Amino acid sequence: MIRKALVIFVILLVVVLLETALLSNIVFLPVVPDLLLLVVLYISVFNGSLVGETTGFVSGLLLDFITAAPLGLNCLLRTLMGFLAGFFHNLLNVSGILIPCFLAFIATIVKGIMIEFIFFFFPNGVITYELISTTFGMELLFNVILAPMVFGFLSFFSSILVDSKERSR
């Protein structure tokens, strides 16, 4: 259990640094894909809501500390996303291409709606984007395209990330 938690933490830390230090500085990228969201989705679907919301919280906390986002914003968003994705635990076969793309599509839209909802209550504290815009469309497209690749890459670590009793099902 401790080994699994440490591996998840290291993966989250590497992805946060990849997103914030590397991908955000590539000039020709119109938006940064949310790889961290995809990692949280993968871990949540394979391990359930409790591990999903914990992973979402830790990933959001790391992202809040590294970026200029208000402290707790990403924690809230990713905790809810991990919890919701955990409902699909043992219900979906994410080994293909279509289901990870669908999960990324739905999760990105839900994330955008939640940001708009929070922006409604805190208009000066949250930087948001329009749900019907090219910026949101590009993030949605990047997340959908990268979801099968991220899920495929993380499947190499499934012996550590997924409990052995869950892999046998």
Side-chain angles (χ1 to χ4, degrees):
M1 185 68 174
I2 292 176
R3 179 179 169 206
K4 177 177 156 180
L6 286 174
V7 170
I8 289 174
F9 180 76
V10 168
I11 289 173
L12 293 176
L13 186 61
V14 167
V15 172
V16 165
L17 292 174
L18 177 73
E19 268 189 36
T20 58
L22 205 72
L23 293 178
S24 65
N25 290 320
I26 297 177
V27 178
F28 60 87
L29 273 180
V31 294
V32 177
D34 199 347
L35 299 176
L36 200 57
L37 178 65
L38 301 177
V39 171
V40 170
L41 288 175
Y42 179 87
I43 292 171
S44 300
V45 167
F46 277 105
N47 293 296
S49 291
L50 180 63
V51 174
E53 63 192 27
T54 306
T55 302
F57 179 79
V58 170
S59 69
L61 195 61
L62 288 170
L63 198 58
D64 284 339
F65 280 138
I66 291 178
T67 64
L71 189 62
L73 174 67
N74 286 302
C75 288
L76 175 65
L77 293 175
R78 293 171 195 290
T79 300
L80 289 172
M81 295 307 298
F83 177 72
L84 294 174
F87 282 134
F88 297 108
H89 176 59
N90 287 337
L91 293 177
L92 297 176
N93 180 10
V94 295
S95 61
I97 294 175
L98 188 60
I99 299 298
C101 290
F102 180 72
L103 279 173
F105 181 81
I106 296 298
T108 306
I109 289 176
V110 170
K111 180 186 112 176
I113 291 170
M114 287 192 309
I115 288 174
E116 287 291 327
F117 182 74
I118 293 170
F119 177 75
F120 178 76
F121 292 106
F122 302 103
N124 295 331
V126 178
I127 298 173
T128 185
Y129 43 70
E130 296 293 322
L131 287 178
I132 301 174
S133 67
T134 56
T135 304
F136 182 73
M138 291 300 292
E139 181 180 349
L140 185 65
L141 180 66
F142 283 162
N143 287 350
V144 168
I145 290 172
L146 292 174
M149 291 180 249
V150 170
F151 278 44
F153 176 74
L154 291 175
S155 69
F156 289 123
F157 302 103
S158 66
S159 62
I160 301 169
L161 295 176
V162 181
D163 291 333
S164 59
K165 62 182 179 183
E166 300 299 330
R167 280 195 311 259
S168 63
R169 292 184 183 179

